[in-house]
Amino acid sequence: FAGEENISPAMISQLKAIKDAGFEKSTSVLIHYDPNKRGVGTVTFDINRLRKAEKGTSIGDGKNPYVRNLIEDIVEGPPKSATAQKALKLFLEMGLQPEYLAKHYAVILVGHGMVVGNDAFLPDDSPETAITLKELGTILNDFKRAVDGKDKGGVVELIGLHSCSMSAIEVVYELKGAARYLLATEGASFVGS
């Protein structure tokens, strides 16, 4: 999740909704959240890791009105000083660590998608960086090769781009072969949509 001052608050409600959806004992949900707001650092979550270790599987919270705190899900992730490119690479590499190794991966990127018009995806102010379309293709294709190279025979099933105007032919061309499926927005994309 790469936000900024205007969309970061909406991303918090999405993070809490993901947490409240529950957990399955053999599924990990890793989220790297960069609010891109001065004075607020990035944070990486392993959603429901403690509850999963304790209970195994629990889908949804039923009628429990309690809104759980995300603090218990914080894990060490990419450093706050990492460029947008480095943060994405390190985060994806985290998914290849033994505790997160999987047979099936879905990578969903949420943030500003100005990559076709401005060649700047998931821009950041601290440090001032953004991922170019070419870099995005390289990072995601490298991740797919790394997943393919693991002993367990994993596969990148889905790349989801929940960012404005990411279904352009230029994006599809750069990401060709990076996953079995690509799901991207055609026009404006709002965090809660």
Side-chain angles (χ1 to χ4, degrees), residues 108-109 121 136 159-163 166 171 175 182-185:
I108 301 169
L109 303 173
F121 183 57
L136 181 63
I159 294 174
L161 301 171
H162 191 347
S163 307
M166 291 299 288
V171 176
L175 301 184
L182 174 67
L183 179 64
T185 51

Side-chain angles (χ1 to χ4, degrees), residues 115-136:
V115 76
V116 176
N118 295 334
D119 206 19
F121 183 57
L122 306 178
D124 200 348
D125 288 338
S126 180
E128 193 166 325
T129 59
I131 301 171
T132 67
L133 182 53
K134 197 75 133 159
E135 290 168 335
L136 181 63

